[in-house]
Amino acid sequence: MTAPVTAGSPAAPPSTAHHDRATIQENTLRTDRWWVTPLLTFIGLAAFVVYGLVRAFMNKWYWAGDVHLIAPFYSPCLSQSCVSGSSHILGQPIPRLPDWLSWVSPAMMVLILPGGFRLTCYYYRKSYYRSFWFSPPACAVPDGHKTYSGETRFPLLFQNIHRYFFYGALFVGSVLTYDAFLSLSGKDGGIGLGVGSIILFINAALIWAYTLGCHSCRNIVGGRLKHFSSHPVRYWMWGKVSVLNGKHQQWAWASMVSVVLADAYVMLVASGALTDVRIFN
Amino acid sequence: MSYQGKFRVWRGDHASGELTDFTAEVNEGEVVLDVVHRLQATQAPDLAVRWNCKAGKCGSCSAEINGRPRLLCMTRMNMFTPDQVVTITPMRTFPVIKDLVTDVSFNYVKARELPAFEPPKDLAPGEYRMQQIDVERSQEFRKCIECFLCQNTCHVVRDHDENKPEFSGPRLFIRAAELDMHPLDTRDDRKETAQAEQGLGYCNITKCCTEVCPEHIKITDNAIIPMKERVVDRKYDPITWLGRKIARRDQLSNQP
């Protein structure tokens, strides 16, 4: 007779004998084009990283002063090396760096926040674990590694700092929103509106949709609670964040594309290659 | 409309086995399990397959169809073109018993390791009172039919058998989340248990469990990630820790 096993008590370890499995020679029997999604993800993320690196090292064409447009990759411009007018209410608290560090652009000083936020984001983790690290490349397709420890140890244990980057992303979202309003200054004073302003507003809105739909945000606003009934306001907020969270992947891609397009637009205007189309003033 | 479909079915046991070719009649409205039953009735009477309800609710007929973890009874034949070969294999992650039947006892062992529901000691059965908004999150996880397709597809154990002792898998993570979110569960150590005993950190949230769940439970978004965040609350977030100490109350425990 088998001894009874109660909940929570140690039980016999499960079989770990690999040879007990069905002997199937093929690594995967999937017949669909499972490799398309990881390939497209790889191309999209790699393009974003390359663009970000190029812009971070470019260190110019980030402020179109006459139409008050600042490139999102360089905002807030906190260094004393920033071009005149590109810094706003936050000032320039970071002194000019010595010559041997002149390659460090103001963009690099702020991109750590949105970059870290996306790098540790639960959606992006899924996408790059699949497309860059093949762990696994697709469901029921073999992992590309002989051993696996997941996020249990260094360095991937540090993915747990995602919520701190979330706090930083709240700051970045606020700055980008401020930038969008700042761009409403007219060329001749007063209020003005150009295509650049509209692009910055759309970008800020998408950045907020991505940021506020974050899984850490969902936990902080109410997900960690045991009793929603005792916290109706937090329950309401949790519900709203959950709606955004349901489309977190889509917001991640939309905001990534929008921030690149907004940055590229300002770069072209600032370099003189393009003139901001003004709707009025 | 009927046609003669081509099938490859894995046949064998833990010692050896191979894919065997069959041609069988396929009729309009049928599912893969219908064809497997026809093979049993006409060509392979000793073909082993575990099934029960044929309605996607018992979780018995889990297998892999053209390499994708699925329920045999919920996979319609009209997904495939008449000239397409349909390959049916047992779940790869578990020891095979015979043909399409696997030994899924790993999951029951892991289930027994998880501390059970602990209601308040001063409440007798029948005296439990909960508000709907407090239990609705847990109710999603109660839809689980224990087909173990999520356990089967999870690469942590599918591709790394050596992780089985340390890793409980997505089915047990949703059980842990269900209990941790349960308004009347009094245990305060479920986050620590999830991390230290269940191996929550092994999950790299690639969402294959969610993709294959026939009950469409959002395993990753609604159970695993919230549990990971609750572990962060406890172990890696000094601000939360400080807030709990200063306010002298614990939103993260079982207080309201």
Side-chain angles (χ1 to χ4, degrees):
Chain A
M1 184 178 144
T2 308
V5 181
T6 56
S9 68
S15 166
T16 58
H18 207 273
H19 61 263
D20 285 349
R21 298 184 180 193
T23 49
I24 300 170
Q25 301 305 319
E26 294 84 349
N27 283 332
T28 181
L29 288 165
R30 284 185 64 165
T31 53
D32 57 327
R33 293 188 295 167
W34 56 263
W35 46 270
V36 171
T37 301
L39 178 63
L40 292 176
T41 305
F42 176 84
I43 292 170
L45 294 183
F48 178 68
V49 170
V50 169
Y51 178 87
L53 286 173
V54 169
R55 274 297 276 159
F57 281 97
M58 192 178 284
N59 204 3
K60 60 181 178 181
W61 298 334
Y62 52 84
W63 172 240
D66 56 336
V67 287
H68 306 94
L69 295 174
I70 181 153
F73 277 46
Y74 280 80
S75 185
C77 211
L78 301 173
S79 168
Q80 290 172 8
S81 63
C82 294
V83 299
S84 175
S86 61
S87 303
H88 42 58
I89 50 171
L90 295 168
Q92 298 180 334
I94 301 174
R96 185 181 291 274
L97 297 173
D99 286 347
W100 63 277
L101 282 176
S102 60
W103 55 271
V104 178
S105 71
M108 296 178 194
M109 299 170 192
V110 294
L111 282 180
I112 183 77
L113 289 179
F117 183 53
R118 287 182 190 260
L119 190 68
T120 58
C121 163
Y122 286 98
Y123 164 66
Y124 281 103
R125 276 146 74 177
K126 171 201 166 188
S127 60
Y128 63 71
Y129 284 142
R130 283 195 184 196
S131 59
F132 283 74
W133 197 242
F134 306 130
S135 183
C139 302
V141 175
D143 193 325
H145 304 270
K146 284 186 178 175
T147 60
Y148 175 86
S149 58
E151 297 179 343
T152 58
R153 59 182 73 162
F154 179 84
L156 295 182
L157 188 63
F158 277 87
Q159 302 281 26
N160 288 311
I161 64 173
H162 181 54
R163 71 175 51 180
Y164 291 97
F165 283 118
F166 164 69
Y167 297 139
L170 291 177
F171 166 73
V172 172
S174 303
V175 169
L176 295 183
T177 307
Y178 179 79
D179 291 344
F181 279 102
L182 198 69
S183 71
L184 294 177
S185 303
K187 272 184 154 179
D188 305 325
I191 296 177
L193 181 66
V195 171
S197 300
I198 295 172
I199 290 174
L200 291 190
F201 272 108
I202 292 172
N203 178 50
L206 292 173
I207 292 283
W208 277 120
Y210 169 61
T211 304
L212 294 178
C214 157
H215 292 85
S216 288
C217 177
R218 191 177 181 222
N219 177 68
I220 291 165
V221 299
R224 62 169 59 144
L225 294 171
K226 191 104 170 166
H227 296 94
F228 281 147
S229 56
S230 306
H231 304 272
V233 175
R234 292 183 71 182
Y235 175 59
W236 180 85
M237 289 195 296
W238 177 82
K240 300 302 175 194
V241 170
S242 296
V243 171
L244 287 174
N245 182 262
K247 300 283 183 188
H248 199 47
Q249 172 179 338
Q250 288 86 338
W251 293 125
W253 280 97
S255 60
M256 196 172 82
V257 170
S258 77
V259 77
V260 167
L261 291 178
D263 188 85
Y265 183 84
V266 176
M267 177 180 69
L268 292 171
V269 172
S271 69
L274 198 71
T275 303
D276 184 35
V277 179
R278 305 300 290 178
I279 296 168
F280 65 90
N281 196 11
Chain B
M1 188 191 82
S2 299
Y3 67 90
Q4 294 294 312
K6 295 186 179 65
F7 296 87
R8 286 197 302 164
V9 182
W10 192 88
R11 303 213 59 193
D13 54 25
H14 69 275
S16 65
E18 62 181 0
L19 289 167
T20 306
D21 292 326
F22 292 98
T23 300
E25 182 181 314
V26 179
N27 299 310
E28 189 171 356
E30 287 188 332
V31 295
V32 174
L33 185 59
D34 290 318
V35 177
V36 172
H37 284 163
R38 185 164 298 122
L39 291 177
Q40 281 183 324
T42 60
Q43 303 176 49
D46 60 339
L47 173 62
V49 60
R50 184 186 285 132
W51 70 284
N52 201 327
C53 74
K54 204 170 173 286
K57 288 298 168 195
C58 73
S60 300
C61 63
S62 304
E64 300 189 11
I65 301 168
N66 282 356
R68 304 195 71 151
R70 292 180 184 278
L71 294 179
L72 294 172
C73 72
M74 298 301 286
T75 306
R76 298 175 68 95
M77 281 305 301
N78 64 7
M79 284 178 53
F80 312 103
T81 56
D83 59 344
Q84 193 173 356
V85 178
V86 178
T87 305
I88 308 168
T89 52
M91 291 192 284
R92 281 205 195 216
T93 302
F94 307 118
V96 68
I97 296 173
K98 184 176 187 306
D99 301 338
L100 300 178
V101 178
T102 52
D103 174 5
V104 294
S105 58
F106 163 80
N107 305 290
Y108 302 120
V109 171
K110 292 297 179 183
R112 283 196 294 269
E113 290 174 356
L114 185 67
F117 173 63
E118 280 191 18
K121 287 188 169 47
D122 56 344
L123 285 184
E127 295 177 346
Y128 300 168
R129 297 291 180 272
M130 295 165 276
Q131 294 201 33
Q132 177 58 33
I133 63 170
D134 289 335
V135 291
E136 60 193 3
R137 279 184 299 179
S138 293
Q139 284 175 333
E140 179 190 7
F141 309 136
R142 299 292 294 183
K143 292 193 301 179
C144 176
I145 58 173
E146 298 209 308
C147 62
F148 304 125
L149 287 176
C150 58
Q151 303 283 89
N152 172 53
T153 199
C154 180
H155 71 113
V156 177
V157 285
R158 183 184 178 92
D159 299 322
H160 304 282
D161 221 43
E162 68 279 7
N163 288 333
K164 278 184 175 172
E166 286 84 30
F167 186 72
S168 292
R171 193 286 168 255
L172 279 309
F173 292 150
I174 68 171
R175 176 68 178 152
E178 175 196 334
L179 292 170
D180 200 43
M181 294 172 185
H182 196 293
L184 286 183
D185 184 65
T186 56
R187 285 193 76 101
D188 195 28
D189 61 351
R190 296 204 180 275
K191 296 109 178 150
E192 289 82 355
T193 301
Q195 191 203 28
E197 307 295 330
Q198 291 190 293
L200 185 67
Y202 279 88
C203 171
N204 67 347
I205 36 112
T206 40
K207 284 197 172 182
C208 287
C209 50
T210 305
E211 276 189 30
V212 302
C213 179
E215 282 293 319
H216 308 294
I217 300 169
K218 292 180 177 165
I219 299 172
T220 319
D221 285 320
N222 289 349
I224 296 179
I225 294 175
M227 284 305 285
K228 277 182 173 258
E229 284 295 312
R230 286 169 178 230
V231 170
V232 173
D233 283 338
R234 282 282 168 91
K235 297 203 63 167
Y236 303 112
D237 187 347
I239 295 175
T240 310
W241 177 84
L242 197 63
R244 289 164 58 200
K245 292 294 177 190
I246 292 172
R248 298 178 66 81
R249 64 189 173 84
D250 191 355
Q251 293 290 358
L252 315 176
S253 75
N254 303 299
Q255 303 306 311

